[in-house]
Amino acid sequence: MTRPVLVHTRADLAARLAPARAADSRVGLVPTMGALHEGHASLMRVAREHVGDGPVVVSVFVNPMQFAPGEDLDRYPRTLDDDLKLCEREGVDLVFAPSVDEVYPQGEPMVTVEPGPLAGVLEGKTRPTHFRGVLTVVVKLFGLVRPDVAVFGQKDYQQLALIRRMVADLCQGVEVVGAETEREPDGLALSSRNRYLDPEQRHDAVALSRALHAAREGAQYGVAAALTAARAELRAAKLVDLDYLAITTPELDELPADVPPGTEARILVAARLGSTRLIDNMPLVIGTTGSPDVSTEGNS
Ligand code: PAF
């Protein structure tokens, strides 16, 4: 195993990527905020599958622009040494860990990415400026790394949908790959924020994935039954303070009132456990049992 090259500046990043560009190799990017876990490792493996011998770049940057005042920017875990070890294990070539000044040399940029109406629903209701910050930093990372392919987790489903939309609408020329959610053996979706949970909260946090599985079962009887089944699981977990539970189209549009059996949909949940906010989602099919990718979405 070779240790990945760690760079902190745009200039070093460009210099390190120059040989790969000269050789016309495919470049893969896994944008992260660090505090890496097995979920990120799976994104790195997906990136590797897409670039072959080309370089896999992991960016580690806690992006202030996507945190509102009062959110967890200051306490967001910064674990670069451990992150490098995980990147080494996964055969990552380059880790780009810039400072805030390196990414935003003139402070918050005057021109930002306007994410449009999709950023106003679900997460956007409680975090109205979040996706503007996410898309702005992603577009900057695309500009700096110039990847052929970028891999994001399906756990942040709304983020993934918005990035896909941005790439299409703004002709970014990057292939966006959505990697499946990695889960703990009991079903809890892996997240850097899980480390904030105390044992009781960790115990109740599994209700989120249980609720999604219950909804998938209930979905054979329709949307209302799916939501009822999910809510029952969430109510049973005393420490879960539900923010939203919604069933949408896979593109996150509102589902029409009457959907024909076999309609593919997405169920999304967000909840607080103490001061920690967790999100999760799964595909489901209305009016039938199970879902096309039931076997690939983890277990519970
Ligand atoms: O999903 C994340 O970790 C972040 O939102 C991202 C995409 C790295 C942008 O800061």
Side-chain angles (χ1 to χ4, degrees):
M1 274 191 298
T2 351
R3 223 171 150 68
V5 174
L6 172 65
V7 293
H8 297 288
T9 66
R10 299 166 179 228
D12 285 346
L13 175 71
R16 290 290 183 170
L17 283 173
R21 291 204 205 289
D24 223 14
S25 300
R26 274 169 75 74
V27 175
L29 172 64
V30 180
T32 80
M33 298 206 298
L36 302 180
H37 50 65
E38 292 305 315
H40 295 108
S42 78
L43 307 186
M44 294 169 200
R45 291 195 284 273
V46 171
R48 173 59 67 208
E49 280 163 23
H50 280 76
V51 300
D53 291 339
V56 170
V57 182
V58 170
S59 61
V60 174
F61 179 63
V62 183
N63 172 34
M65 241 192 104
Q66 68 190 71
F67 291 79
E71 288 186 352
D72 57 349
L73 173 63
D74 292 334
R75 75 162 182 161
Y76 200 86
R78 275 117 171 133
T79 58
L80 188 57
D81 286 345
D82 289 343
D83 294 348
L84 287 170
K85 285 184 198 135
L86 189 138
C87 290
E88 177 175 356
R89 194 193 78 195
E90 294 303 328
V92 167
D93 299 281
L94 203 53
V95 174
F96 177 45
S99 66
V100 173
D101 284 349
E102 192 67 22
V103 176
Y104 298 111
Q106 285 150 329
E108 193 160 315
M110 195 185 283
V111 177
T112 60
V113 179
E114 161 56 48
L118 193 51
V121 298
L122 302 166
E123 288 299 287
K125 284 211 169 121
T126 40
R127 309 185 75 191
T129 58
H130 175 64
F131 290 115
R132 179 173 148 267
V134 170
L135 295 191
T136 300
V137 82
V138 168
V139 102
K140 274 174 161 281
L141 291 168
F142 284 178
L144 292 169
V145 178
R146 293 194 281 134
D148 297 282
V149 56
V151 185
F152 298 87
Q154 289 183 13
K155 190 183 77 70
D156 295 299
Y157 192 77
Q158 191 174 5
Q159 166 174 289
L160 175 63
L162 276 158
I163 290 168
R164 285 193 197 285
R165 196 59 206 246
M166 173 184 77
V167 164
D169 286 356
L170 303 184
C171 309
Q172 293 283 285
V174 177
E175 182 189 350
V176 174
V177 177
E180 284 153 20
T181 302
E182 292 289 314
R183 297 179 180 279
E184 298 283 3
D186 66 358
L188 178 68
L190 297 193
S191 163
S192 303
R193 291 186 166 102
N194 290 351
R195 68 187 73 195
Y196 300 148
L197 301 170
D198 68 26
E200 286 79 27
Q201 292 166 343
R202 170 63 185 83
H203 175 268
D204 276 13
V206 75
L208 271 69
S209 63
R210 278 209 190 116
L212 301 183
H213 280 285
R216 288 162 68 123
E217 288 298 313
Q220 60 187 304
Y221 306 109
V223 173
L227 290 172
T228 303
R231 281 198 198 103
E233 290 290 345
L234 293 165
R235 262 198 305 271
K238 296 284 168 286
L239 300 180
V240 169
D241 180 11
L242 183 63
D243 182 353
Y244 62 77
L245 174 73
I247 298 181
T248 68
T249 69
E251 295 75 33
L252 296 180
D253 293 321
E254 223 173 280
L255 268 187
D258 254 337
V259 290
T263 299
E264 290 189 16
R266 201 90 192 174
I267 179 156
L268 304 101
V269 65
R272 275 182 195 285
L273 290 103
S275 57
T276 303
R277 191 163 177 284
L278 299 180
I279 58 174
D280 200 356
N281 68 86
M282 281 183 197
L284 50 75
V285 179
I286 310 295
T288 59
T289 42
S291 144
D293 48 352
V294 64
S295 58
T296 58
E297 266 297 314
N299 46 22
S300 78

